Amino acid sequence: MEKGKERIFPDGGANEAEHAYTCWLCSLPGVGNHTVTKLLEYFGSSENIYRAGEEELRPLLNIRQMETLSRSRQGSSPEREYQELLGQGIGFLHPGDENYPGRLREIPDAPYGLFYRGKLPEEERLAVAVIGARDCSEYGRYVAAELGRELGKRGVSVISGMARGIDGISQLEALAAGGISFGVLGCGVDICYPKQNRQLYERLLRDGGVLSEYPPGMPPVAQNFPPRNRIVSGLADALVVVEARQKSGTLITVDMALEQGKEVYVVPGRVTDRLSDGCNKLLKQGAGVFLSPEEFLREMEEQFVGKMTLKEVSGKRRGRGSRGKRSTGKMRKPLSELSPELKLVYGALDMYPQSLEQICGKISGECDQRKLSLWLMQLCVLKLAVQVSPGHFQIASL
């Protein structure tokens, strides 16, 4: 048999063989959607591209792409490599596949190849993308956790980028509530990035899925992340921005969502908070106002009639010992068990940092700042409060 012509799939497996060659084509570095489409229009199939001569290919590729394609064909077997990929638990889809996400077919520049591990998003299930700042505030953590948890309880798919901060918090809370979530990566689906989100990555593989247009082994290089954002918004019916600075990568995803015709909601913030500058600007431009998970879900249910929403998750479905546990691993004392003094101080806290003087001003009667400091530190030990700077405290995110 001629070198590079090995056939793994028997007669009758033509579709599977073409699938393997398409996977090979979409794994070539530097060969993007535009080039793939151009090649397929000319040659008719991915296998024809693989077997084409250099004279035929040269007019359609630049020098670097030509070198990449030539190297990839030396001693390779796309059919065998595709089988090895499936053996690693990694799937591959292109727009011609029945299981290719329908939402992505409708967006501009839909990824021609999509690698995934775990499950795929269900078309009939409402999906919401939750995005925001990596270095978020305690306020942002609180809102992201509350939103993720509610979406998880109601059976809504949570889509995000598995990044640290808002993205990861919302996804982890959704999974902890028995829900489902999908992470869109800027690297191969076999790579956990960032490394500190290993727990989330493993939970997604078990109870949701991870997707990427980049082939396995592709490292998380900076230029991969802006393009992946169109997939985050593309897989969702609506997008919620929790926190974003005025110049933020989050706003790239918002622009893509608007281009795709998606609903965009924004959590308002204080005008003095730089982490809310981007959010407040979006509100001024007419974005939807996110006030609470309950109100947001009511609006979603009205707009997307027929999709699976507001589905409470039973303890049985939650399973795996997750019931009654928090995804963060924090041990928090129930408010009902607090002493009267601690309840009073906790009631004076806010999601924004306050000084001892400000907290004292909210407590009726005389206020001893030495005792107040002691009570606040007790609340911090109980994971109910956070000291964000010397003498400034706020409620801890859930």
Side-chain angles (χ1 to χ4, degrees), residues 304-319:
F304 299 96
V305 178
K307 293 224 175 181
M308 291 168 60
T309 61
L310 306 181
K311 188 169 93 176
E312 295 292 345
V313 180
S314 67
K316 287 184 180 179
R317 182 181 168 201
R318 193 170 295 139

Side-chain angles (χ1 to χ4, degrees), residues 295-312:
E295 181 176 324
F296 169 72
L297 282 165
R298 279 196 299 271
E299 290 191 29
M300 289 297 97
E301 188 179 38
E302 291 171 2
Q303 290 185 53
F304 299 96
V305 178
K307 293 224 175 181
M308 291 168 60
T309 61
L310 306 181
K311 188 169 93 176
E312 295 292 345

